[in-house]
Amino acid sequence: MNGMAGVLRRGEMRDVMEKYVRPEKNPGTACSGCGLRLAHRKVLEAIDELGLGLGDVVWGTGIGCSGRQTFVTWKGDTFAGTHGRVYAMATGLRLALPPEKRLILTVGDGDAFTIGFLHLLNCARRNVDMTVVVFDNLGYQSTGGQYGVTTPLGSRTDSSPYGAWEPNWTQGGFDVLRILKEAGATFLARHTVLQGHEPVESLKRAIRNRGLSLVQLIYPCVTHYGAQALGTRDLAKIYDWFRDRTVESIDADSSDSFTTGIFHDAVGSRPEFAASMREFVASVQKEGNHG
Amino acid sequence: MKRTFDTGNAAITEGAILAGCRLFSGYPITPATEIAENMSRRLPQVGGFYLQAEDENAALHICNGGSIGGLKAMTATSGPGFILFADPFGWAVSSEIPVVIVNSQRVGPVSGITGAPGQGEFYFSRYLTHGGNYETIVLAPNSVQEAFCLTVRAFYLAERFRTPVTVLADQMVTDGWETLIIPETDEEFRGMGLESVPRRIHPGPEFYPASDAIDIPPVVLGHNTGAACSDWTPTDRGHDTEDVTWQHKHAWRLIHKIRNHRELIDESETWFLEDDPEIILVAYGTPSRVVQSAVRAARKEGLKVGGIRPISLWPFQDALFSRKASYLTVELNWDGQLVREVQRAAAPGSSVHFWGRCGELPSVRELLAAVRRLKEGKALERDGWRTEAW
Ligand code: SF4
């Protein structure tokens, strides 16, 4: 990254990183130039701007580049889950945690939208209080670059050498966020990490929501998606491709673009699951033991 | 004491609740569905949570999540659900988190026969996840009362050892009706030989020491200890590492915290072992009830027969088989599983035989016939494709 913005951001990054990230895990495992560090920082900035401390957040992680970059980085209480199942774990954990604790999961697009989608949908159905941040690198990059359900059609990857042709969940009239909306999620947003402060604002809203929030944060993978699908490892070129593809409207045609913004804001519209569970249990107990 | 007449499913439910279980997550499956049903009724009465999961994989993950939040948790299933535990079971083993798993074995493989007993997961319960590098605890009840007691024990061991503990039952144990005695006071609880430990909280942020020590509280999140809970190879701070030295330390802890405390785990019942048996019948779970009767009947006939029933299946109790004898395992499967382990453990010079069936129990008469043939030095009966020999 170059220019003034880059210099300022690096300064900020140190601050939130130092404040919240275990020193031995700073700056993390992402490849040099990868947008994942920016993505990680956006989440920390949102936490910081909400005035949350280490004791206010429990942080869970999935597998893949996003898992590697973020797991066991949070200085507070943290856990690393299995691939795609962290949503189910978080459901159990949510029942045990005090309601005021914020539960944040940083996962990848494969984790959330393919292997773990069943569990994520059920979290949406129940409206379990957690914030799922999907660090979307447009495919399976930690395994060397294979296509996934957010990989743009036509992309050449190691498993789509002739160009990705399978229907995905971001083009052709599909939007994975719409599926989650129908399933019951109460806050949904999509941004790219290059959109400055906008993603941070959405993340803040997501974290404040007492229900299932999901923020899809698309970021550039330099090592695989850049090199294989875009034919370059040049950061400036990759970032330009991202900016050109980004549309600041969530309703725009997504056939050739990343549509961004708040997709669904139904904060407070549905009961939260753990709260409902506690109410239900209390009501059974009040009515007496029916042995 | 409360004396009732009930099923193994009810016994497991009451045992779990008495042991402090406050989260159950499961997916309906014959013949373990009744455990879920009972839990859905009983848990809210005691302030606990019943949560029907989208599949068994999620069920155990939900239990794991509840456990790292400080709740004692349990799931229950049968074979086709048990196979989906590989992922969360491994996570709990490696992260060293207590959780209790019940498997009511039915006839397999796959869907098999739903409402009939099988014993096809003897080895699978030992190797329920990939990668090796761990030891595990499996307990096998053969009655309704024992299903109750071993469920309490499973929770007790899970807490002390920071690990999943499996109760390996079968359809007859869980669906069967028998007298069930439930203690109503702490004194009665202890009087029945039952033990329980409350969930304690690891002070963090340091991870478990590289030792075989037990009684170290498991990691619990939400108490601002800076606790890190991860299935990745941990350093002493719980961080992930790719270093083989740390991996070895981790594996050593997982294996030897269990193997070096066998006195807390090993449990068995034996019949006429001190009475110079030449033939020793071996069984766990429901078939052991028939074996017990067969051993007594054989003794009445003057045959020198004994019996062994491992109650804790894993770690396997090799010491039970230190006598040179002719061993006959009686199992609810056609392929022979327990027999392989007995063959490995049996004293030199022993001979080891297998009598198998699936979906229904052997009769005392059939087992006596098998014993007589062994005594006469003959091979076990084969009846066309209905082979009973291994
Ligand atoms: S492989 Fe790609 S997405 Fe993963 S860390 Fe490297 S640059 Fe980032």
Side-chain angles (χ1 to χ4, degrees):
Chain A
M1 199 151 176
N2 46 29
M4 281 301 290
V7 173
L8 287 173
R9 280 184 188 143
R10 273 200 294 276
E12 284 170 24
M13 190 187 300
R14 249 199 320 276
D15 285 338
V16 283
M17 291 295 275
E18 270 167 23
K19 187 167 175 187
Y20 293 120
V21 169
R22 298 178 189 230
E24 49 273 71
K25 303 293 291 251
N26 186 359
T29 54
C31 305
S32 140
C34 177
L36 188 48
R37 284 178 220 278
L38 275 175
H40 189 181
R41 195 198 74 185
K42 301 275 181 219
V43 181
L44 297 172
E45 278 177 5
I47 291 170
D48 194 36
E49 289 182 21
L50 287 172
L52 299 174
L54 294 173
D56 297 321
V57 173
V58 173
W59 191 310
T61 54
I63 305 291
C65 293
S66 58
R68 288 219 165 251
Q69 169 66 26
T70 54
F71 65 44
V72 194
T73 53
W74 180 246
K75 275 184 190 166
D77 294 359
T78 178
F79 69 102
T82 49
H83 195 25
R85 323 294 176 196
V86 71
Y87 322 101
M89 289 182 71
T91 302
L93 178 58
R94 185 73 268 179
L95 290 171
L97 285 180
E100 64 277 8
K101 292 262 182 204
R102 304 291 76 217
L103 183 50
I104 298 175
L105 310 177
T106 46
V107 301
D109 47 294
D111 198 289
F113 299 148
T114 58
I115 191 168
F117 202 47
L118 170 67
H119 310 302
L120 185 57
L121 284 174
N122 279 280
C123 285
R125 172 175 65 84
R126 299 185 179 112
N127 197 32
V128 187
D129 183 9
M130 65 178 85
T131 299
V132 180
V133 188
V134 181
F135 293 158
D136 180 359
N137 54 12
L138 306 178
Y140 299 96
Q141 311 305 346
S142 75
T143 45
Q146 297 81 33
Y147 69 93
V149 296
T150 61
T151 308
L153 291 171
S155 300
R156 286 178 194 268
T157 71
D158 275 3
S159 66
S160 57
Y162 307 106
W165 61 268
E166 253 194 75
N168 62 26
W169 267 338
T170 53
Q171 293 165 287
F174 294 106
D175 192 332
V176 69
L177 297 187
R178 190 176 312 123
I179 305 173
L180 286 162
K181 178 185 166 188
E182 291 300 324
T186 40
F187 184 82
L188 297 163
R190 173 169 47 235
H191 299 278
T192 80
V193 291
L194 304 179
Q195 286 180 302
H197 205 65
E198 258 177 79
V200 179
E201 289 303 325
S202 284
L203 283 163
K204 281 157 69 179
R205 185 114 179 101
I207 293 167
R208 272 202 307 260
N209 178 26
R210 297 289 171 107
L212 193 282
S213 300
L214 182 139
V215 178
Q216 182 185 359
L217 263 186
I218 307 171
Y219 72 91
C221 162
V222 179
T223 308
H224 297 298
Y225 193 77
Q228 292 157 13
L230 306 179
T232 178
R233 282 174 195 256
D234 184 322
L235 279 188
K237 283 191 184 143
I238 294 170
Y239 281 35
D240 279 349
W241 181 84
F242 260 75
R243 288 201 185 89
D244 288 348
R245 208 181 157 86
T246 303
V247 180
E248 304 242 342
S249 160
I250 198 76
D251 304 319
D253 177 9
S254 66
S255 45
D256 284 312
S257 52
F258 300 135
T259 57
T260 62
I262 292 176
F263 184 85
H264 179 56
D265 187 344
V267 173
S269 66
R270 296 184 62 210
E272 192 278 322
F273 179 70
S276 302
M277 174 72 93
R278 284 192 193 93
E279 265 172 45
F280 160 73
V281 168
S283 75
V284 172
Q285 286 192 294
K286 206 171 141 204
E287 282 162 28
N289 193 321
H290 303 288
Chain B
M1 300 274 192
K2 191 167 128 194
R3 197 185 169 87
T4 64
F5 188 69
D6 221 323
T7 63
N9 287 317
I12 289 164
T13 304
E14 295 307 322
I17 284 173
L18 217 54
C21 176
R22 290 299 177 268
L23 171 63
F24 178 93
S25 186
Y27 184 92
I29 183 168
T30 308
T33 308
E34 260 187 53
I35 301 174
E37 290 173 348
N38 287 331
M39 280 293 192
S40 73
R41 181 174 50 84
R42 290 287 286 123
L43 271 175
Q45 294 172 354
V46 296
F49 306 128
Y50 169 82
L51 182 45
Q52 212 154 284
E54 52 271 24
D55 62 23
E56 288 85 350
N57 182 320
L60 187 49
H61 272 106
I62 288 168
C63 289
N64 287 345
S67 189
I68 59 172
L71 294 170
K72 288 188 183 175
M74 180 173 97
T75 186
T77 191
S78 188
F82 198 53
I83 60 170
L84 298 183
F85 287 165
D87 187 359
F89 174 82
W91 187 91
V93 164
S94 187
S95 304
E96 303 189 53
I97 295 302
V99 68
V100 171
I101 296 164
V102 177
N103 177 8
S104 175
Q105 295 177 97
R106 68 190 216 193
V107 176
V110 202
S111 295
I113 298 173
T114 57
Q119 290 185 321
E121 285 103 77
F122 172 74
Y123 278 113
F124 194 52
S125 66
R126 168 63 183 85
Y127 298 105
L128 186 50
T129 193
H130 72 100
N133 294 331
Y134 71 98
E135 183 57 82
T136 194
I137 303 172
V138 179
L139 311 174
N142 79 346
S143 69
V144 167
Q145 187 65 51
E146 200 173 57
F148 171 85
C149 294
L150 289 187
T151 303
V152 174
R153 185 140 192 92
F155 276 94
Y156 171 75
L157 295 174
E159 290 298 322
R160 291 196 66 183
F161 285 87
R162 320 181 296 280
T163 194
V165 175
T166 303
V167 176
L168 192 66
D170 57 63
Q171 179 268 338
M172 283 195 170
V173 166
T174 56
D175 277 351
W177 289 76
E178 285 184 309
T179 298
L180 170 64
I181 293 167
I182 299 173
E184 290 179 299
T185 64
D186 284 353
E187 207 183 343
E188 288 173 357
F189 185 83
R190 284 192 299 274
M192 287 175 70
L194 300 172
E195 294 169 284
S196 181
V197 283
R199 171 62 57 87
R200 292 175 304 146
I201 296 161
H202 193 266
E206 287 79 19
F207 202 56
Y208 311 123
S211 81
D212 63 357
I214 59 169
D215 294 326
I216 298 169
V219 166
V220 176
L221 307 184
H223 295 268
N224 305 337
T225 54
C229 191
S230 152
D231 56 319
W232 293 80
T233 297
T235 64
D236 51 351
R237 306 253 309 145
H239 298 153
D240 51 296
T241 175
E242 303 260 315
D243 185 321
V244 291
T245 310
W246 282 115
Q247 206 290 323
H248 184 191
K249 284 182 182 174
H250 183 48
W252 193 89
R253 182 171 59 229
L254 296 182
I255 295 164
H256 294 290
K257 68 176 177 182
I258 292 173
R259 288 191 186 162
N260 290 355
H261 296 95
R262 295 287 299 266
E263 71 284 358
L264 292 171
I265 303 164
D266 288 354
E267 211 179 331
S268 61
E269 185 178 9
T270 60
W271 304 289
F272 299 103
L273 266 204
E274 304 312 319
D275 239 337
D276 207 19
E278 289 166 2
I279 298 170
I280 300 174
L281 272 54
V282 187
Y284 74 93
T286 303
S288 67
R289 307 268 294 254
V290 186
V291 160
Q292 184 180 7
S293 302
V295 170
R296 289 216 181 100
R299 281 280 163 176
K300 272 193 194 137
E301 276 187 27
L303 296 167
K304 287 187 157 186
V305 174
I308 295 174
R309 171 170 84 97
I311 296 172
S312 57
L313 288 187
W314 299 105
F316 197 70
Q317 301 178 72
D318 287 20
L320 289 173
F321 306 92
S322 56
R323 178 185 304 268
K324 184 180 154 194
S326 179
Y327 290 96
L328 175 66
T329 72
V330 179
E331 308 181 41
L332 292 180
N333 61 64
W334 297 111
D335 55 323
Q337 299 192 6
L338 175 62
V339 63
R340 295 166 197 265
E341 212 54 22
V342 173
Q343 199 167 46
R344 186 189 57 71
S350 299
S351 64
V352 180
H353 311 270
F354 166 66
W355 196 101
R357 171 167 297 176
C358 202
E360 54 190 2
L361 291 174
S363 68
V364 170
R365 200 169 44 84
E366 285 171 309
L367 293 185
L368 283 177
V371 164
R372 284 189 212 104
R373 290 188 72 86
L374 282 183
K375 190 165 166 51
E376 290 162 17
K378 292 184 193 157
L380 291 185
E381 204 97 70
R382 283 167 192 268
D383 176 14
W385 60 271
R386 286 183 288 270
T387 170
E388 288 157 357
W390 188 39

